[in-house]
Every structure is written in C-alpha cells, then in structure tokens.
Amino acid sequence: MLNTNKDNIQDTTKALAEEAKSGVNKASRELKSSASKANNAVDKTANQAEDKTEALINGLRDLINNHADTTKGNTMKEQIIERASELKQVVGEEISHAYDVSKERAIESVKNHPAATLALVAGTGLLLGYVLGSKQSSN
C-alpha cells in the first residue's frame, strides 16, 4: 500500500512537471511572439519617424532656400522651431504608442497563462541564483 501511494505521488509529480513544462514552453513562445510583434511595431514607428525626419529636413532646406534674404531670418527661425516641435510631438506619440502596445501584450500574456508565467519567473530566479552563487564560490 505504501509503494502504491509512492508510485501514485511520483506519477502525479511527473504529470505536474510535464504540465508546468508545457505551460512554460507555451508562455515562452507567446512572449517571444509578443516581443517580436512589439519589435516590429517599434521598427515601423522608427521607420515612420525617419521618413518624417527626412521630410522635415527637406522642408527646412526648402525654407532656407526660399528665405535667403537675411531680413526674413526671424520668420524662418519661427518656422523651423514650429516644424521641430511638430516632429518632437509626433515621435513622442509614436514611441508612447509602441510602448503601450508592447506593455498591453505582455500583460495579456501573463493574464492568460499565470501558472506558466510564475513557473518561468521561478525558473529564471533559480537559474540566476545558481549562476550568482557559483560565481561567488569560485572567487
């Protein structure tokens, strides 16, 4: 009877370990996918910001060419400041949006798989503790 309980506990433990491993693998894949999507969104935002920057530079060049007269320097300065302010606002909004999207995806992934996330974090903590512990013992 004692061996039967021991075997049952071992089987249950193995099943739980496999389930946790499966959950961690699934959560890891989803986190990688979310990170990849967020990276793509950030890349797209960076490309858009680069395009807008080029357009701003070209616009500034046009302004400089059109306002070669020194008497119009103040007007040109105000237009440059205005365009730079617009670009700053657009880039800030795009970066904020990309951050919000990546944060929402990470939160959603954690909410959908809390046990797998906990197992992943615990495993990472154990691994980090092991690595740091081995460094200290080798010194």
Side-chain angles (χ1 to χ4, degrees):
M1 183 173 193
L2 184 60
N3 286 339
T4 305
N5 285 338
K6 183 179 177 182
D7 291 340
N8 188 18
I9 291 172
Q10 285 177 338
D11 292 342
T12 304
T13 303
K14 286 180 184 178
L16 288 173
E18 287 299 320
E19 186 178 326
K21 182 179 178 182
S22 173
V24 167
N25 288 337
K26 185 176 182 180
S28 176
R29 285 190 304 271
E30 288 185 11
L31 287 173
K32 285 179 185 177
S33 174
S34 293
S36 176
K37 288 176 184 176
N39 187 35
N40 290 341
V42 169
D43 284 345
K44 182 180 177 184
T45 301
N47 289 336
Q48 289 173 345
E50 182 180 359
D51 292 343
K52 289 178 182 180
T53 303
E54 284 184 35
L56 174 66
I57 290 170
N58 290 333
L60 292 174
R61 283 184 185 147
D62 291 342
L63 282 174
I64 290 171
N65 290 335
N66 291 336
H67 298 289
D69 190 8
T70 56
T71 59
K72 296 183 181 180
N74 287 338
T75 304
M76 185 172 75
K77 177 183 165 186
E78 290 172 8
Q79 289 175 344
I80 289 172
I81 291 172
E82 183 180 320
R83 293 253 177 127
S85 177
E86 289 172 7
L87 177 65
K88 179 182 175 183
Q89 182 180 1
V90 168
V91 169
E93 289 171 357
E94 292 295 329
I95 289 173
S96 176
H97 177 68
Y99 173 76
D100 290 342
V101 168
S102 64
K103 183 179 174 182
E104 287 174 16
R105 287 185 180 154
I107 289 171
E108 182 180 313
S109 181
V110 169
K111 283 182 179 179
N112 289 340
H113 306 288
T117 302
L118 181 61
L120 183 65
V121 170
T124 303
L126 289 173
L127 182 62
L128 184 59
Y130 176 77
V131 169
L132 293 175
S134 67
K135 279 189 176 182
Q136 286 183 350
S137 64
S138 66
N139 289 336

